[in-house]
Amino acid sequence: MTNATDTATVDPITLDIIENALKNARYEMDGVVVRISLSPVIREQHDEFPMICNERGQMIVGQFGSYIPSVVEKFGGDVNEGDIFVWNDPYASKGSISHNNDWCVMLPIFHEKVLVGFSSIFGHMVDVGGTVPGSMPANARTIWEEGLRVPPVKIYSKGELNQGVLDIMLNNSRTPDMNRADLMALIAGCRTAGTRVKELCDRFGRETYMTACDMLLARTREAMRVVIRKYIPEEPVSFTDYVDDDGLGNGPFKMTLTISRRGDVAVFDWTGTDAQAEGPINFHIHEGLCKLFFGVYMIMSFDPSVLFNEGFYDLFEIVLPEGSLLNPRFPAALSNRLNTHTRFFDCQAGALGKFVPQLSMAAGYGTSPHFIFSGTDKDNKYFQLMELLFGGVPGRPKGDGFDGHAWWPLFSATPIEYIENYYPVLIERYQPIQDSGGPGLHRGGAGIEKVYRLLEKGQVSIHDDREVVPPWGINGGLHGGTSSKWVIKNGETEPSRIPSKIDNLKVNPGDRVVFKTAGSGGWGDPLERAAEIVARDVRYGLVSREQAEKSYGVILTADNEADLAATAKLREAAKKERGEPPAFDFGYTPPERQAAE
């Protein structure tokens, strides 16, 4: 197909209006979804990802992309007005979504019977069946254990609901009411985008709209070409980080990324990454999504003004060795793939940090911590709380990392009032963890401690990482704190430590679960951080007096104010003893180095 930009152009003002109208429509999709959904994961935490695409299935605005063409191809062009597609099988959809909990909806958009684009959203369902509540078993060895798998099917065909498909999907969930509401919310969000795109075609003309979409792709491509030329080295640069374990006692698992440039093309090569895990931390990533993740990181790091879309895809080359942690063979388990997914970004930060350290960032909390509490209450009603927790976002060139923040910018914490009103749980403590943010000129974000007092008998599942391998610091910054999990039985005072990945932990009324997430690495020399800011962090409880002196070289008065004269003297001595700060502080000895030694 010939792009519209080959024959026509759109004036800059119209292009700007269409661009911002599409951005607004994308955020309106979010608004519609969170108002209709019922589950705390989507309604409160916003674990849903919308996009608007052109007629070829390329994302123009959104957060994820690349999967539309493969779904259209599966149906051999049988795509009609009023059709709505749904699926959740990562393998059948070529990795467009990465575990069974994500239900994806796609709607073709027609204007006067002409296909002008697609809208799509996927969102995390609280439960899709499988061996454990929440459908993310920590000990799964195959995807068969992780719940219902639905290949791309039409849930609406020319406007008519396929009740059979809906019934099958809901019949295999422990939370059918929530799933139904959340699915219909995703569909409503897609329909909203369809309405807005049709309005743009009515307002400016269909050809103008479609040409504008192609111009937005071309503009992003040119901007990315400049970024690649400036920030990607021709000579290969490699970096390795680790996932703690796979939930079955295996690990740590190595992830190695090599970045290089060939002309205008950036090459991202995962050769050297460990073979697929026995447990469910494998990440079956679509090559296009892999490009998207690299692209969004580069845009956010080097030029945030660039519109995030798929225009740059041909400028990226991806190598994903088959049978590896990032390209597992069917039927590898996938449910806890976010432990690997987020390390993806740490590896990219580390590799780019070797070439442009002044613009890179440290490592973060490196996963997506989950807390799931399920059971039957005193009224014999089933309950299932699922919450995503957050940790330290890394120190960066611009400033300190965020404390207890999500990797995904639009995610938010579940309000404590919501949890306590709808579930038999009391939240006794929710606070940053002192000294968990890596010391640096710009401090790493702190992890969080959340204490759940459980009011009913039930079972708990926990998924987390960065318990063994700390988040590293960069440019002289130091590593951040690791995660830990504890249970305090009713009537006892001493906590017992539990693994970072565990299912079906039996709990009783009055038991408490203490969930501590990892912090993040610091950026830059901590001995250069303003003493007054260190003193402020001590007063806020983010840094201890001991760490202020040991890592920052700051002497405090009795009322936690900086003693500037004593601090200057201590720092001068500390710099002489230390010498030049290291480029990276890992806080551990990598396994390869241990073996060599």
Side-chain angles (χ1 to χ4, degrees):
M1 176 180 285
T2 301
N3 290 356
T5 48
D6 294 336
T7 58
T9 59
V10 176
D11 68 85
I13 294 176
T14 301
L15 183 65
D16 190 56
I17 292 172
I18 291 175
E19 175 188 357
N20 284 282
L22 287 173
K23 288 180 180 178
N24 288 339
R26 171 253 182 276
Y27 286 112
E28 188 178 359
M29 293 170 77
D30 282 325
V32 168
V33 169
V34 300
R35 282 166 175 77
I36 297 175
S37 59
L38 282 181
S39 74
V41 179
I42 292 182
R43 184 180 185 86
E44 300 296 332
Q45 299 208 270
H46 305 171
D47 190 352
E48 46 84 23
F49 299 88
M51 67 175 181
I52 301 173
C53 304
N54 65 9
E55 77 281 6
R56 297 183 300 280
Q58 295 169 288
M59 186 183 76
I60 307 301
V61 295
Q63 293 168 279
F64 282 76
S66 77
Y67 52 78
I68 302 296
S70 62
V71 175
V72 174
E73 179 185 358
K74 180 182 184 298
F75 283 85
D78 182 20
V79 176
N80 310 290
E81 191 160 11
D83 289 351
I84 299 177
F85 301 78
V86 66
W87 65 91
N88 80 322
D89 185 349
Y91 289 106
S93 61
K94 299 182 180 180
S96 61
I97 40 90
S98 53
H99 71 160
N100 296 353
N101 288 79
D102 287 335
W103 283 9
C104 194
V105 170
M106 181 190 85
L107 178 149
I109 304 171
F110 288 83
H111 179 257
E112 297 175 350
K113 299 184 179 181
V114 175
L115 180 67
V116 295
F118 297 86
S119 58
S120 184
I121 313 178
F122 70 85
H124 184 109
M125 297 294 146
V126 170
D127 188 279
V128 295
T131 59
V132 299
S135 312
M136 295 183 290
N139 61 353
R141 288 175 167 83
T142 68
I143 198 169
W144 305 113
E145 301 155 68
E146 298 174 340
L148 177 72
R149 295 165 50 228
V150 179
V153 294
K154 291 184 181 181
I155 193 165
Y156 280 87
S157 181
K158 297 182 180 179
E160 289 194 18
L161 174 66
N162 187 331
Q163 189 66 45
V165 169
L166 180 61
D167 288 347
I168 290 170
M169 296 178 75
L170 299 180
N171 194 57
N172 284 273
S173 170
R174 297 173 179 85
T175 57
D177 292 343
M178 281 189 178
N179 285 29
R180 180 188 176 93
D182 289 0
L183 176 60
M184 292 305 162
L186 300 180
I187 291 172
C190 287
R191 285 175 169 160
T192 298
T195 298
R196 297 295 174 254
V197 168
K198 291 174 187 177
E199 290 172 351
L200 287 172
C201 290
D202 287 339
R203 179 179 178 185
F204 296 103
R206 183 169 61 245
E207 292 303 319
T208 297
Y209 170 77
M210 296 172 75
T211 298
C213 288
D214 287 336
M215 291 176 66
L216 292 173
L217 291 170
R219 191 181 68 187
T220 293
R221 183 187 188 279
E222 177 58 23
M224 183 61 75
R225 188 187 67 80
V226 173
V227 169
I228 288 172
R229 279 280 184 178
K230 188 172 182 180
Y231 296 115
I232 300 295
E234 287 189 287
E235 292 298 318
V237 176
S238 297
F239 190 84
T240 296
D241 206 344
Y242 299 86
V243 180
D244 285 353
D245 66 275
D246 66 349
L248 293 174
N250 307 307
F253 288 85
K254 179 176 66 174
M255 292 178 61
T256 296
L257 173 64
T258 301
I259 297 177
S260 62
R261 178 170 60 83
R262 188 178 63 251
D264 288 340
V265 176
V267 180
F268 298 87
D269 186 349
W270 289 100
T271 300
T273 294
D274 277 346
Q276 66 191 61
E278 182 183 11
I281 63 167
N282 302 292
F283 185 25
H284 181 54
I285 185 172
H286 186 287
E287 182 180 314
L289 283 179
C290 194
K291 293 179 179 180
L292 210 67
F293 293 147
F294 284 127
V296 70
Y297 183 94
M298 293 181 65
I299 287 172
M300 293 298 102
S301 296
F302 304 132
D303 191 353
S305 66
V306 177
L307 177 64
F308 179 42
N309 63 36
E310 293 187 27
F312 55 77
Y313 270 24
D314 67 320
L315 299 177
F316 284 7
E317 179 181 315
I318 306 297
V319 179
L320 293 167
E322 186 178 0
S324 70
L325 206 60
L326 290 168
N327 189 10
R329 296 184 181 92
F330 178 84
L334 308 174
S335 58
N336 292 318
R337 84 284 182 228
L338 276 174
N339 297 299
T340 301
H341 183 182
T342 45
R343 202 71 82 260
F344 186 107
F345 298 115
D346 290 337
C347 286
Q348 186 173 4
L352 291 174
K354 290 185 175 182
F355 183 65
V356 280
Q358 72 280 9
L359 293 176
S360 193
M361 63 181 183
Y365 65 101
T367 182
S368 182
H370 287 71
F371 174 82
I372 302 168
F373 174 43
S374 61
T376 303
D377 66 18
K378 59 181 179 296
D379 298 321
N380 203 34
K381 181 179 179 182
Y382 178 75
F383 63 87
Q384 184 176 310
L385 166 65
M386 177 182 166
E387 183 179 21
L388 307 176
L389 284 86
F390 309 138
V393 173
R396 57 216 164 101
K398 189 175 182 179
D400 293 350
F402 298 130
D403 304 318
H405 201 280
W407 266 116
W408 316 110
L410 297 182
F411 275 22
S412 59
T414 306
I416 290 173
E417 295 83 357
Y418 182 97
I419 294 174
E420 294 183 342
N421 272 309
Y422 288 100
Y423 298 97
V425 176
L426 291 177
I427 306 300
E428 291 193 342
R429 188 158 62 250
Y430 183 48
Q431 64 185 28
I433 300 171
Q434 189 176 73
D435 292 342
S436 60
L441 172 65
H442 299 150
R443 178 179 55 79
I448 59 169
E449 177 184 11
K450 197 162 192 175
V451 179
Y452 301 86
R453 181 183 288 274
L454 311 175
L455 305 181
E456 295 281 0
K457 181 180 179 181
Q459 52 275 334
V460 163
S461 291
I462 285 173
H463 307 131
D464 201 4
D465 204 73
R466 286 278 190 215
E467 183 181 68
V468 176
V469 181
W472 42 265
I474 193 171
N475 298 332
L478 304 183
H479 67 276
T482 54
S483 66
S484 64
K485 313 293 171 288
W486 309 80
V487 63
I488 306 173
K489 291 295 184 180
N490 187 24
E492 298 180 4
T493 57
E494 291 298 317
S496 300
R497 190 156 185 170
I498 54 178
S500 65
K501 301 171 182 67
I502 187 172
D503 284 322
N504 295 323
L505 175 69
K506 302 300 181 185
V507 291
N508 292 299
D511 290 352
R512 287 174 287 169
V513 173
V514 181
F515 200 127
K516 296 184 178 183
T517 64
S520 60
W523 190 99
D525 188 350
L527 297 179
E528 297 294 331
R529 186 172 176 84
E532 295 87 351
I533 296 178
V534 175
R536 179 206 64 187
D537 286 348
V538 171
R539 293 194 296 272
Y540 287 175
L542 296 168
V543 174
S544 67
R545 288 176 64 94
E546 293 74 20
Q547 189 183 74
E549 182 174 339
K550 179 182 176 182
S551 299
Y552 290 99
V554 174
I555 303 295
L556 299 171
T557 64
D559 55 356
N560 288 330
E561 296 290 343
D563 185 330
L564 299 181
T567 294
K569 185 177 179 180
L570 176 59
R571 284 182 163 181
E572 183 180 0
K575 287 180 180 180
K576 286 181 179 179
E577 181 180 348
R578 181 198 64 191
E580 282 296 314
F584 294 91
D585 173 53
F586 292 99
Y588 67 96
T589 302
E592 289 84 354
R593 193 178 305 164
Q594 287 181 351
E597 292 174 352

